[in-house]
Amino acid sequence: MAVSLRDVAEAAGVSIATASRALGGKGPASAEAIRAVREAADRLGYQVNALGKALREGSDGVVGIVVPMVSNPFYASLVHEFEDQLSNLGLKLLIADSHGELDRETERLEALASRRVRGIFAVPAYFDRSSPVITKIARRLPLVQVDRRVEDDSALSYVGVDNADGVDQALRHVRDRGATTVVFVGADDRTSVGRERERAFAAGVERLGLVAQRPIIDRYLFEFGLSAAAQLLRRSALPDAVIAGDDLIATGLLAGFARHGRSVPGDVMVTGFDGTILSDICNPTLTTVRQPMAKIAEVAIAQLTRQIEDAEDTGSHVRLHTTLRPGGSTERTPLT
Amino acid sequence: MAVSLRDVAEAAGVSIATASRALGGKGPASAEAIRAVREAADRLGYQVNALGKALREGSDGVVGIVVPMVSNPFYASLVHEFEDQLSNLGLKLLIADSHGELDRETERLEALASRRVRGIFAVPAYFDRSSPVITKIARRLPLVQVDRRVEDDSALSYVGVDNADGVDQALRHVRDRGATTVVFVGADDRTSVGRERERAFAAGVERLGLVAQRPIIDRYLFEFGLSAAAQLLRRSALPDAVIAGDDLIATGLLAGFARHGRSVPGDVMVTGFDGTILSDICNPTLTTVRQPMAKIAEVAIAQLTRQIEDAEDTGSHVRLHTTLRPGGSTERTPLT
DNA sequence: CTGAAAGCGCTAACAT
DNA sequence: ATGTTAGCGCTTTCAG
């Protein structure tokens, strides 16, 4: 089998304790011992067994993240950011995909917890139904909610964006470009994000004096955007602008309208949410509400670190700002 | 701290061994003991410490995957597939991002190996320079190369697609639509995939009697496709078709041409590679060479499983077939 | 500075 | 069927 510390110690002619100190650089060790042990370790191709080390130390340098769907470019980028920044701290990332389902989410969270990861970043599948698991796990170990949160989470940490303001930015943007009738095409209204965006839309419409058509709500999928476009075209009149719940839906709308020969932004304007690469790729490019993904990861990691260091740390909620990035999908002469 | 098996055993009034058997369902245990132990475990909120279990058993149910960049939709989807299928086998996925850099790749592979993961899926950063580390790790534990491979890897397992045939499918497709001059815009020619596609292009051009312009090679990035389009436009004449190294580059080309007022497929046809969601999102939709991602994951997992079960298992190479998926980017009347 | 020994939590012989 | 015991590989008192 693999070579263990014992083998190295034997080969170096020292005790296993000395070998450990020599390699770990923690306790005292003579230069001579260090040299001999290092030499033996090299020669034998020794590598610490992280499991043994972790068992002894209570936990290893692994943190987990549970996202609803890695293949959604937004979460892919987010995971990328986390992996990146965590690696600079010497931490590894265990990733789990909940598919936005409670069962899978529960199972994954339990698995991570039982592995004694140092902490967990979670994007809850549901606003209400995920609450018990998330709360339960958070009692056992450091946990930071990212992007989405659960209800009754005043004791939990959370990092996300100001969705209400984000939707408002989109609404004002299309309003300034002449829109009077608008519609919201969003998703997952049983998630905090879905609810927040949908409500912000309703409130914003009211405040800005716009007219809202009946919203269409389903899932964060390109295919949904596609079918939503068809649905909108079946209605008596197209709105001036469609505010989509995320970039995936927005690009689906774009493709759907194109497929039916409608022009964006000519016949209808479209805005997205997230600021993923998708917004650059589509044609016209997508006006979207950009989330500061690197910053989200940074703040979330800082929060988790604080919780790890101070078990008493009480959860804090952080809302970061979004920025509207104008693209071709709303390119009209602004009103003055 | 957390409640351990010992606590449960005590509470249930049995020995720790009985408790283990009662919970694990492995050895013999009386119905009465099982009931008592379960009850105690529930009451105390016991959860196995996966670390202790893993140390004892030599490894835990974790496998690792190292990809060059999770935020590339192709790898995001691949990771998604792996996570999905592995979870059905009760395995967890530890993910690492090499950024396509040798240093990071080496570090991540070592870390995974030292954690005694059951096995590793790796997309090597380089065809040549990654060879030593991949080979070394593969000697220590089950490893399957995915998508890309290293040189001198006859002893290593590999699962990927027939890139040569894939590029050929694209070439024949544009040839059938009237293309005579073509150009390859690819990337990472120090990876197996980059080389294979580039060579297949050169060979295919020859065989089909087409005329190739000087290729442009850089990285698998949208931004590169964008600048490559500009570069092509600066040349004396635009080719009839551009064969891109992947979807990211292809969509960059599409955006680049659009930005300069050129029509695709009118002025120039474009094909991609991978079959990611990007090909649906762009406008026109992208004709692309689809990789069977689910199948790739399936075969790779089967190979890893075989290696885990049989340490002597000698590496096998599997090349899966690609399928050309026609999109708007090459929509012309086929010649007859 | 070094070695002996304990123990992290768990499972698997082995003995009863 | 159950309990005792021996480690998995490592770090860390505690003596010396």
Side-chain angles (χ1 to χ4, degrees), chain A residues 47-48 50 55 60 80 83-84 87 92-97 99 104 108 110-111 114-116 140 222 280-281 283, chain B residues 47-48 50 55 60 80 83-84 87 92-97 99 104 108 110-111 114-116 140 222 278 280-281 283:
Chain A
Q47 272 212 286
V48 282
L55 178 57
D60 51 355
H80 186 81
E83 208 278 345
D84 221 43
S87 82
K92 312 280 169 284
L93 223 211
L94 203 47
I95 189 183
D97 198 311
H99 287 210
R104 287 179 74 109
R108 303 316 167 84
E110 298 281 4
S114 100
R115 283 198 53 66
R116 303 296 192 269
R140 292 226 305 267
F222 173 80
D280 289 314
I281 282 171
N283 178 15
Chain B
Q47 272 214 287
V48 282
L55 179 57
D60 51 354
H80 187 81
E83 208 277 345
D84 221 43
S87 81
K92 311 279 170 285
L93 224 210
L94 203 48
I95 190 183
D97 197 311
H99 287 211
R104 285 180 75 108
R108 302 315 168 84
E110 298 281 5
S114 102
R115 286 200 48 68
R116 303 295 194 269
R140 293 226 305 267
F222 173 80
L278 304 184
D280 289 313
I281 282 172
N283 179 14

Short mmCIF file of all heavy atoms in Angstrom, two decimals, chain A residues 47-48 50 55 60 80 83-84 87 92-97 99 104 108 110-111 114-116 140 222 280-281 283, chain B residues 47-48 50 55 60 80 83-84 87 92-97 99 104 108 110-111 114-116 140 222 278 280-281 283:
data_model
loop_
_atom_site.label_atom_id
_atom_site.label_comp_id
_atom_site.label_asym_id
_atom_site.label_seq_id
_atom_site.Cartn_x
_atom_site.Cartn_y
_atom_site.Cartn_z
N GLN A 47 3.62 10.80 1.06
CA GLN A 47 2.63 11.88 1.02
C GLN A 47 1.71 11.72 2.21
O GLN A 47 1.20 10.63 2.44
CB GLN A 47 1.79 11.78 -0.24
CG GLN A 47 2.42 12.49 -1.40
CD GLN A 47 1.33 13.03 -2.28
OE1 GLN A 47 0.71 12.27 -2.98
NE2 GLN A 47 1.10 14.33 -2.22
N VAL A 48 1.51 12.79 2.96
CA VAL A 48 0.64 12.67 4.12
C VAL A 48 -0.70 12.11 3.71
O VAL A 48 -1.18 12.39 2.63
CB VAL A 48 0.35 14.02 4.82
CG1 VAL A 48 1.51 14.44 5.66
CG2 VAL A 48 -0.06 15.06 3.82
N ALA A 50 -4.15 12.73 4.17
CA ALA A 50 -4.96 13.84 4.65
C ALA A 50 -6.08 13.37 5.56
O ALA A 50 -6.55 14.11 6.43
CB ALA A 50 -5.53 14.62 3.48
N LEU A 55 -8.66 13.49 10.70
CA LEU A 55 -9.32 12.82 11.83
C LEU A 55 -8.71 13.32 13.13
O LEU A 55 -9.41 13.66 14.08
CB LEU A 55 -9.12 11.31 11.72
CG LEU A 55 -9.72 10.50 12.87
CD1 LEU A 55 -11.21 10.78 12.98
CD2 LEU A 55 -9.48 9.02 12.66
N ASP A 60 -10.44 18.78 7.94
CA ASP A 60 -9.38 19.05 6.98
C ASP A 60 -9.71 20.34 6.25
O ASP A 60 -10.71 20.97 6.51
CB ASP A 60 -9.23 17.89 6.00
CG ASP A 60 -10.56 17.51 5.38
OD1 ASP A 60 -11.58 18.08 5.80
OD2 ASP A 60 -10.57 16.66 4.50
N HIS A 80 -16.56 28.79 -9.91
CA HIS A 80 -15.21 29.11 -10.38
C HIS A 80 -14.55 30.13 -9.44
O HIS A 80 -13.41 29.96 -9.03
CB HIS A 80 -15.29 29.66 -11.79
CG HIS A 80 -13.96 29.89 -12.43
ND1 HIS A 80 -13.24 28.88 -13.02
CD2 HIS A 80 -13.21 31.00 -12.56
CE1 HIS A 80 -12.11 29.37 -13.49
NE2 HIS A 80 -12.07 30.66 -13.22
N GLU A 83 -13.80 28.51 -6.03
CA GLU A 83 -12.68 27.57 -6.12
C GLU A 83 -11.38 28.35 -6.14
O GLU A 83 -10.42 28.02 -5.45
CB GLU A 83 -12.83 26.74 -7.40
CG GLU A 83 -12.22 25.35 -7.33
CD GLU A 83 -10.74 25.35 -7.59
OE1 GLU A 83 -10.20 26.36 -8.11
OE2 GLU A 83 -10.09 24.36 -7.27
N ASP A 84 -11.41 29.38 -6.93
CA ASP A 84 -10.24 30.23 -7.11
C ASP A 84 -9.77 30.88 -5.82
O ASP A 84 -8.62 30.73 -5.41
CB ASP A 84 -10.65 31.33 -8.08
CG ASP A 84 -9.58 31.62 -9.06
OD1 ASP A 84 -8.99 30.65 -9.56
OD2 ASP A 84 -9.32 32.81 -9.30
N SER A 87 -8.74 28.44 -3.02
CA SER A 87 -7.45 27.78 -3.21
C SER A 87 -6.32 28.68 -2.75
O SER A 87 -5.28 28.21 -2.31
CB SER A 87 -7.27 27.39 -4.68
OG SER A 87 -6.82 28.48 -5.42
N LYS A 92 -9.85 23.39 -0.12
CA LYS A 92 -10.39 22.67 -1.26
C LYS A 92 -11.91 22.78 -1.27
O LYS A 92 -12.51 23.00 -0.24
CB LYS A 92 -10.01 21.19 -1.19
CG LYS A 92 -8.56 20.93 -0.89
CD LYS A 92 -7.70 21.07 -2.11
CE LYS A 92 -6.22 21.06 -1.77
NZ LYS A 92 -5.74 22.35 -1.20
N LEU A 93 -12.47 22.61 -2.44
CA LEU A 93 -13.92 22.77 -2.59
C LEU A 93 -14.60 21.47 -2.99
O LEU A 93 -14.28 20.88 -4.02
CB LEU A 93 -14.19 23.80 -3.69
CG LEU A 93 -15.26 24.86 -3.51
CD1 LEU A 93 -15.87 25.24 -4.83
CD2 LEU A 93 -16.31 24.51 -2.50
N LEU A 94 -15.51 21.04 -2.15
CA LEU A 94 -16.31 19.87 -2.47
C LEU A 94 -17.61 20.42 -3.04
O LEU A 94 -18.28 21.22 -2.39
CB LEU A 94 -16.57 19.08 -1.19
CG LEU A 94 -16.90 17.60 -1.24
CD1 LEU A 94 -15.97 16.84 -2.15
CD2 LEU A 94 -16.85 17.03 0.16
N ILE A 95 -17.95 20.00 -4.24
CA ILE A 95 -19.12 20.59 -4.87
C ILE A 95 -20.28 19.62 -4.95
O ILE A 95 -20.09 18.43 -5.14
CB ILE A 95 -18.75 21.05 -6.29
CG1 ILE A 95 -19.88 21.85 -6.89
CG2 ILE A 95 -18.44 19.87 -7.16
CD1 ILE A 95 -19.58 22.27 -8.30
N ALA A 96 -21.45 20.13 -4.76
CA ALA A 96 -22.64 19.29 -4.83
C ALA A 96 -23.72 20.03 -5.58
O ALA A 96 -23.85 21.25 -5.49
CB ALA A 96 -23.11 18.93 -3.44
N ASP A 97 -24.49 19.28 -6.33
CA ASP A 97 -25.53 19.84 -7.18
C ASP A 97 -26.87 19.36 -6.66
O ASP A 97 -27.12 18.17 -6.60
CB ASP A 97 -25.28 19.33 -8.61
CG ASP A 97 -26.00 20.14 -9.65
OD1 ASP A 97 -27.21 20.37 -9.47
OD2 ASP A 97 -25.36 20.52 -10.64
N HIS A 99 -29.85 20.15 -7.91
CA HIS A 99 -30.87 20.15 -8.96
C HIS A 99 -32.09 20.96 -8.52
O HIS A 99 -33.16 20.79 -9.09
CB HIS A 99 -31.34 18.72 -9.27
CG HIS A 99 -30.34 17.92 -10.01
ND1 HIS A 99 -30.67 16.93 -10.89
CD2 HIS A 99 -29.00 17.97 -10.03
CE1 HIS A 99 -29.58 16.39 -11.39
NE2 HIS A 99 -28.55 17.02 -10.88
N ARG A 104 -32.43 15.95 -2.76
CA ARG A 104 -31.01 15.94 -3.09
C ARG A 104 -30.26 16.94 -2.23
O ARG A 104 -29.15 16.67 -1.77
CB ARG A 104 -30.80 16.29 -4.57
CG ARG A 104 -31.19 15.18 -5.50
CD ARG A 104 -30.97 15.62 -6.94
NE ARG A 104 -29.57 15.64 -7.28
CZ ARG A 104 -29.00 14.76 -8.10
NH1 ARG A 104 -29.71 13.82 -8.66
NH2 ARG A 104 -27.71 14.84 -8.36
N ARG A 108 -27.20 15.99 0.21
CA ARG A 108 -25.86 16.56 0.00
C ARG A 108 -25.36 17.32 1.20
O ARG A 108 -24.20 17.25 1.58
CB ARG A 108 -25.85 17.49 -1.21
CG ARG A 108 -26.29 16.85 -2.49
CD ARG A 108 -25.66 15.49 -2.63
NE ARG A 108 -26.30 14.73 -3.69
CZ ARG A 108 -25.99 14.83 -4.95
NH1 ARG A 108 -25.03 15.62 -5.31
NH2 ARG A 108 -26.64 14.14 -5.85
N GLU A 110 -26.21 16.82 4.29
CA GLU A 110 -25.89 15.86 5.34
C GLU A 110 -24.53 15.22 5.06
O GLU A 110 -23.71 15.05 5.96
CB GLU A 110 -26.95 14.74 5.39
CG GLU A 110 -28.35 15.20 5.71
CD GLU A 110 -28.55 15.47 7.20
OE1 GLU A 110 -27.58 15.36 7.96
OE2 GLU A 110 -29.69 15.78 7.59
N ALA A 111 -24.32 14.88 3.81
CA ALA A 111 -23.06 14.24 3.44
C ALA A 111 -21.88 15.16 3.73
O ALA A 111 -20.87 14.74 4.29
CB ALA A 111 -23.09 13.87 1.96
N SER A 114 -21.37 15.40 7.45
CA SER A 114 -20.81 14.20 8.06
C SER A 114 -19.34 14.02 7.68
O SER A 114 -18.60 13.30 8.32
CB SER A 114 -21.64 12.98 7.69
OG SER A 114 -21.05 12.25 6.66
N ARG A 115 -18.93 14.69 6.64
CA ARG A 115 -17.51 14.66 6.26
C ARG A 115 -16.73 15.65 7.11
O ARG A 115 -15.53 15.80 6.97
CB ARG A 115 -17.33 15.07 4.80
CG ARG A 115 -17.66 14.04 3.78
CD ARG A 115 -17.03 14.43 2.48
NE ARG A 115 -15.62 14.68 2.66
CZ ARG A 115 -14.74 13.79 2.98
NH1 ARG A 115 -15.10 12.56 3.15
NH2 ARG A 115 -13.48 14.11 3.13
N ARG A 116 -17.43 16.38 7.92
CA ARG A 116 -16.78 17.37 8.77
C ARG A 116 -16.00 18.38 7.94
O ARG A 116 -14.84 18.66 8.22
CB ARG A 116 -15.84 16.70 9.77
CG ARG A 116 -16.47 15.66 10.68
CD ARG A 116 -17.51 16.27 11.58
NE ARG A 116 -17.92 15.36 12.64
CZ ARG A 116 -18.94 14.51 12.55
NH1 ARG A 116 -19.65 14.45 11.44
NH2 ARG A 116 -19.27 13.74 13.56
N ARG A 140 -24.85 22.97 13.23
CA ARG A 140 -23.74 22.03 13.42
C ARG A 140 -22.40 22.58 12.95
O ARG A 140 -21.35 22.22 13.47
CB ARG A 140 -24.04 20.73 12.68
CG ARG A 140 -25.18 19.94 13.26
CD ARG A 140 -24.84 18.47 13.41
NE ARG A 140 -24.41 17.88 12.17
CZ ARG A 140 -25.22 17.27 11.31
NH1 ARG A 140 -26.49 17.15 11.59
NH2 ARG A 140 -24.77 16.75 10.21
N PHE A 222 -33.14 28.01 -20.48
CA PHE A 222 -33.20 28.58 -21.81
C PHE A 222 -34.51 28.17 -22.48
O PHE A 222 -35.21 29.00 -23.07
CB PHE A 222 -32.00 28.07 -22.61
CG PHE A 222 -32.03 28.45 -24.05
CD1 PHE A 222 -31.63 29.72 -24.45
CD2 PHE A 222 -32.44 27.54 -25.02
CE1 PHE A 222 -31.64 30.09 -25.79
CE2 PHE A 222 -32.46 27.90 -26.36
CZ PHE A 222 -32.06 29.17 -26.75
N ASP A 280 -23.16 38.35 -23.55
CA ASP A 280 -22.27 38.82 -24.62
C ASP A 280 -22.47 38.01 -25.88
O ASP A 280 -22.25 38.47 -26.98
CB ASP A 280 -20.81 38.65 -24.20
CG ASP A 280 -20.41 39.62 -23.12
OD1 ASP A 280 -20.74 40.81 -23.27
OD2 ASP A 280 -19.78 39.19 -22.14
N ILE A 281 -22.84 36.76 -25.66
CA ILE A 281 -22.89 35.81 -26.75
C ILE A 281 -24.11 35.97 -27.64
O ILE A 281 -24.05 35.73 -28.84
CB ILE A 281 -22.78 34.39 -26.18
CG1 ILE A 281 -21.32 34.13 -25.84
CG2 ILE A 281 -23.33 33.35 -27.13
CD1 ILE A 281 -21.06 32.87 -25.08
N ASN A 283 -27.26 37.65 -29.73
CA ASN A 283 -27.28 38.71 -30.72
C ASN A 283 -28.72 39.12 -30.95
O ASN A 283 -29.51 38.31 -31.41
CB ASN A 283 -26.66 38.20 -32.03
CG ASN A 283 -26.68 39.24 -33.12
OD1 ASN A 283 -26.88 40.41 -32.85
ND2 ASN A 283 -26.49 38.80 -34.35
N GLN B 47 -24.32 11.49 13.77
CA GLN B 47 -24.00 11.35 12.35
C GLN B 47 -22.62 10.78 12.25
O GLN B 47 -21.69 11.28 12.88
CB GLN B 47 -24.00 12.72 11.70
CG GLN B 47 -25.34 13.14 11.21
CD GLN B 47 -25.19 13.96 9.97
OE1 GLN B 47 -24.77 15.10 10.06
NE2 GLN B 47 -25.49 13.39 8.83
N VAL B 48 -22.47 9.74 11.46
CA VAL B 48 -21.13 9.14 11.35
C VAL B 48 -20.13 10.21 10.96
O VAL B 48 -20.43 11.13 10.21
CB VAL B 48 -21.04 8.07 10.25
CG1 VAL B 48 -21.64 6.79 10.72
CG2 VAL B 48 -21.63 8.56 8.96
N ALA B 50 -17.48 10.76 8.70
CA ALA B 50 -17.01 10.13 7.47
C ALA B 50 -15.49 10.00 7.45
O ALA B 50 -14.94 9.12 6.81
CB ALA B 50 -17.48 10.92 6.27
N LEU B 55 -10.81 6.67 7.17
CA LEU B 55 -9.47 6.30 7.60
C LEU B 55 -9.41 4.80 7.81
O LEU B 55 -8.48 4.12 7.38
CB LEU B 55 -9.13 7.02 8.90
CG LEU B 55 -7.76 6.68 9.49
CD1 LEU B 55 -6.67 6.99 8.47
CD2 LEU B 55 -7.53 7.48 10.76
N ASP B 60 -12.74 7.12 1.34
CA ASP B 60 -14.16 7.41 1.49
C ASP B 60 -14.77 7.50 0.09
O ASP B 60 -14.09 7.31 -0.91
CB ASP B 60 -14.36 8.72 2.25
CG ASP B 60 -13.54 9.85 1.65
OD1 ASP B 60 -12.75 9.58 0.74
OD2 ASP B 60 -13.70 10.98 2.12
N HIS B 80 -21.33 18.67 -14.35
CA HIS B 80 -22.71 18.42 -13.97
C HIS B 80 -23.05 16.94 -14.20
O HIS B 80 -23.63 16.29 -13.34
CB HIS B 80 -23.62 19.31 -14.81
CG HIS B 80 -25.05 19.25 -14.41
ND1 HIS B 80 -25.55 19.96 -13.36
CD2 HIS B 80 -26.10 18.56 -14.92
CE1 HIS B 80 -26.85 19.72 -13.23
NE2 HIS B 80 -27.20 18.87 -14.17
N GLU B 83 -21.21 14.73 -11.67
CA GLU B 83 -21.77 14.86 -10.32
C GLU B 83 -23.05 14.05 -10.24
O GLU B 83 -23.28 13.31 -9.29
CB GLU B 83 -22.06 16.34 -10.05
CG GLU B 83 -22.00 16.74 -8.59
CD GLU B 83 -23.28 16.45 -7.86
OE1 GLU B 83 -24.32 16.19 -8.51
OE2 GLU B 83 -23.26 16.45 -6.62
N ASP B 84 -23.83 14.19 -11.28
CA ASP B 84 -25.11 13.52 -11.36
C ASP B 84 -24.98 12.00 -11.31
O ASP B 84 -25.58 11.35 -10.45
CB ASP B 84 -25.72 13.90 -12.71
CG ASP B 84 -27.17 14.17 -12.59
OD1 ASP B 84 -27.53 14.84 -11.62
OD2 ASP B 84 -27.92 13.70 -13.45
N SER B 87 -23.39 10.57 -8.10
CA SER B 87 -24.24 10.60 -6.92
C SER B 87 -25.16 9.39 -6.90
O SER B 87 -25.54 8.90 -5.85
CB SER B 87 -25.04 11.89 -6.87
OG SER B 87 -26.17 11.81 -7.69
N LYS B 92 -19.15 11.11 -3.99
CA LYS B 92 -19.13 12.57 -3.98
C LYS B 92 -18.02 13.04 -4.92
O LYS B 92 -17.06 12.33 -5.17
CB LYS B 92 -18.85 13.08 -2.58
CG LYS B 92 -19.71 12.45 -1.50
CD LYS B 92 -21.09 13.07 -1.41
CE LYS B 92 -22.01 12.26 -0.50
NZ LYS B 92 -22.49 11.00 -1.12
N LEU B 93 -18.18 14.26 -5.36
CA LEU B 93 -17.22 14.81 -6.31
C LEU B 93 -16.46 16.00 -5.74
O LEU B 93 -17.05 17.01 -5.36
CB LEU B 93 -17.96 15.29 -7.56
CG LEU B 93 -17.43 14.99 -8.96
CD1 LEU B 93 -17.82 16.10 -9.91
CD2 LEU B 93 -15.96 14.72 -9.00
N LEU B 94 -15.15 15.86 -5.70
CA LEU B 94 -14.31 16.95 -5.27
C LEU B 94 -13.82 17.60 -6.55
O LEU B 94 -13.24 16.93 -7.41
CB LEU B 94 -13.14 16.41 -4.46
CG LEU B 94 -12.39 17.28 -3.47
CD1 LEU B 94 -13.34 18.04 -2.56
CD2 LEU B 94 -11.47 16.42 -2.63
N ILE B 95 -14.06 18.89 -6.70
CA ILE B 95 -13.74 19.52 -7.96
C ILE B 95 -12.55 20.46 -7.83
O ILE B 95 -12.38 21.13 -6.82
CB ILE B 95 -14.96 20.31 -8.46
CG1 ILE B 95 -14.72 20.77 -9.87
CG2 ILE B 95 -15.24 21.47 -7.57
CD1 ILE B 95 -15.87 21.60 -10.39
N ALA B 96 -11.74 20.47 -8.86
CA ALA B 96 -10.58 21.35 -8.83
C ALA B 96 -10.42 21.99 -10.20
O ALA B 96 -10.70 21.37 -11.22
CB ALA B 96 -9.33 20.58 -8.46
N ASP B 97 -9.99 23.22 -10.19
CA ASP B 97 -9.87 23.99 -11.42
C ASP B 97 -8.38 24.28 -11.64
O ASP B 97 -7.73 24.89 -10.81
CB ASP B 97 -10.65 25.29 -11.22
CG ASP B 97 -10.95 26.00 -12.52
OD1 ASP B 97 -10.02 26.16 -13.32
OD2 ASP B 97 -12.11 26.38 -12.72
N HIS B 99 -7.10 25.95 -14.22
CA HIS B 99 -6.89 27.14 -15.03
C HIS B 99 -6.02 26.84 -16.23
O HIS B 99 -5.43 27.73 -16.83
CB HIS B 99 -6.19 28.25 -14.22
CG HIS B 99 -7.07 28.89 -13.21
ND1 HIS B 99 -6.93 30.19 -12.83
CD2 HIS B 99 -8.12 28.41 -12.53
CE1 HIS B 99 -7.84 30.48 -11.92
NE2 HIS B 99 -8.57 29.41 -11.72
N ARG B 104 -0.83 24.78 -11.01
CA ARG B 104 -2.09 24.54 -10.30
C ARG B 104 -2.54 23.10 -10.48
O ARG B 104 -3.03 22.47 -9.55
CB ARG B 104 -3.17 25.47 -10.84
CG ARG B 104 -3.03 26.90 -10.38
CD ARG B 104 -4.13 27.74 -10.97
NE ARG B 104 -5.38 27.50 -10.29
CZ ARG B 104 -5.96 28.39 -9.47
NH1 ARG B 104 -5.38 29.55 -9.25
NH2 ARG B 104 -7.09 28.12 -8.89
N ARG B 108 -3.22 20.53 -7.44
CA ARG B 108 -4.54 19.97 -7.21
C ARG B 108 -4.52 18.44 -7.25
O ARG B 108 -5.19 17.77 -6.47
CB ARG B 108 -5.53 20.47 -8.26
CG ARG B 108 -5.65 21.96 -8.29
CD ARG B 108 -5.76 22.51 -6.87
NE ARG B 108 -5.59 23.95 -6.87
CZ ARG B 108 -6.56 24.79 -7.10
NH1 ARG B 108 -7.76 24.35 -7.33
NH2 ARG B 108 -6.32 26.08 -7.09
N GLU B 110 -2.03 16.51 -6.58
CA GLU B 110 -1.35 16.02 -5.37
C GLU B 110 -2.31 16.07 -4.19
O GLU B 110 -2.38 15.15 -3.38
CB GLU B 110 -0.13 16.90 -5.05
CG GLU B 110 0.95 16.91 -6.12
CD GLU B 110 1.83 15.66 -6.06
OE1 GLU B 110 1.54 14.77 -5.25
OE2 GLU B 110 2.80 15.59 -6.84
N ALA B 111 -3.04 17.17 -4.10
CA ALA B 111 -3.97 17.33 -2.99
C ALA B 111 -5.03 16.24 -3.01
O ALA B 111 -5.34 15.63 -1.98
CB ALA B 111 -4.63 18.70 -3.06
N SER B 114 -3.48 12.96 -2.03
CA SER B 114 -3.16 12.85 -0.61
C SER B 114 -4.41 12.73 0.24
O SER B 114 -4.36 12.30 1.38
CB SER B 114 -2.28 14.03 -0.18
OG SER B 114 -3.04 14.99 0.49
N ARG B 115 -5.54 13.11 -0.32
CA ARG B 115 -6.79 12.93 0.40
C ARG B 115 -7.29 11.51 0.24
O ARG B 115 -8.34 11.15 0.72
CB ARG B 115 -7.88 13.84 -0.18
CG ARG B 115 -7.75 15.29 0.18
CD ARG B 115 -9.08 15.95 -0.01
NE ARG B 115 -10.12 15.17 0.61
CZ ARG B 115 -10.25 15.02 1.90
NH1 ARG B 115 -9.41 15.60 2.70
NH2 ARG B 115 -11.21 14.28 2.39
N ARG B 116 -6.57 10.73 -0.53
CA ARG B 116 -6.96 9.35 -0.77
C ARG B 116 -8.36 9.26 -1.36
O ARG B 116 -9.19 8.48 -0.89
CB ARG B 116 -6.91 8.54 0.53
CG ARG B 116 -5.56 8.54 1.23
CD ARG B 116 -4.51 7.86 0.38
NE ARG B 116 -3.31 7.56 1.16
CZ ARG B 116 -2.27 8.39 1.27
NH1 ARG B 116 -2.29 9.58 0.67
NH2 ARG B 116 -1.22 8.03 1.97
N ARG B 140 -0.34 5.89 -8.58
CA ARG B 140 -0.75 5.80 -7.18
C ARG B 140 -2.22 5.44 -7.00
O ARG B 140 -2.59 4.81 -6.02
CB ARG B 140 -0.48 7.13 -6.47
CG ARG B 140 1.00 7.45 -6.32
CD ARG B 140 1.31 7.91 -4.91
NE ARG B 140 0.49 9.03 -4.50
CZ ARG B 140 0.84 10.31 -4.63
NH1 ARG B 140 1.99 10.62 -5.18
NH2 ARG B 140 0.05 11.26 -4.22
N PHE B 222 -14.22 33.35 -25.45
CA PHE B 222 -15.12 34.15 -26.27
C PHE B 222 -14.36 35.35 -26.83
O PHE B 222 -14.45 35.67 -28.02
CB PHE B 222 -16.29 34.61 -25.40
CG PHE B 222 -17.21 35.58 -26.08
CD1 PHE B 222 -18.18 35.14 -26.97
CD2 PHE B 222 -17.11 36.95 -25.82
CE1 PHE B 222 -19.03 36.03 -27.59
CE2 PHE B 222 -17.96 37.84 -26.44
CZ PHE B 222 -18.91 37.38 -27.33
N LEU B 278 -24.43 27.25 -25.60
CA LEU B 278 -24.06 28.46 -26.33
C LEU B 278 -24.52 28.40 -27.78
O LEU B 278 -24.90 29.40 -28.36
CB LEU B 278 -22.54 28.67 -26.31
CG LEU B 278 -21.86 28.74 -24.95
CD1 LEU B 278 -20.39 29.06 -25.15
CD2 LEU B 278 -22.53 29.78 -24.09
N ASP B 280 -27.13 27.23 -28.96
CA ASP B 280 -28.55 27.54 -29.10
C ASP B 280 -28.80 29.02 -28.86
O ASP B 280 -29.75 29.59 -29.38
CB ASP B 280 -29.38 26.78 -28.05
CG ASP B 280 -29.44 25.31 -28.35
OD1 ASP B 280 -29.71 24.96 -29.52
OD2 ASP B 280 -29.21 24.52 -27.42
N ILE B 281 -27.97 29.56 -28.01
CA ILE B 281 -28.20 30.92 -27.56
C ILE B 281 -27.81 31.99 -28.57
O ILE B 281 -28.43 33.04 -28.66
CB ILE B 281 -27.45 31.12 -26.22
CG1 ILE B 281 -28.29 30.46 -25.12
CG2 ILE B 281 -27.19 32.58 -25.93
CD1 ILE B 281 -27.63 30.39 -23.79
N ASN B 283 -27.17 33.93 -32.17
CA ASN B 283 -28.07 34.22 -33.27
C ASN B 283 -27.24 34.72 -34.44
O ASN B 283 -26.63 35.76 -34.33
CB ASN B 283 -29.08 35.29 -32.83
CG ASN B 283 -30.03 35.66 -33.94
OD1 ASN B 283 -30.12 34.97 -34.95
ND2 ASN B 283 -30.72 36.77 -33.76
#
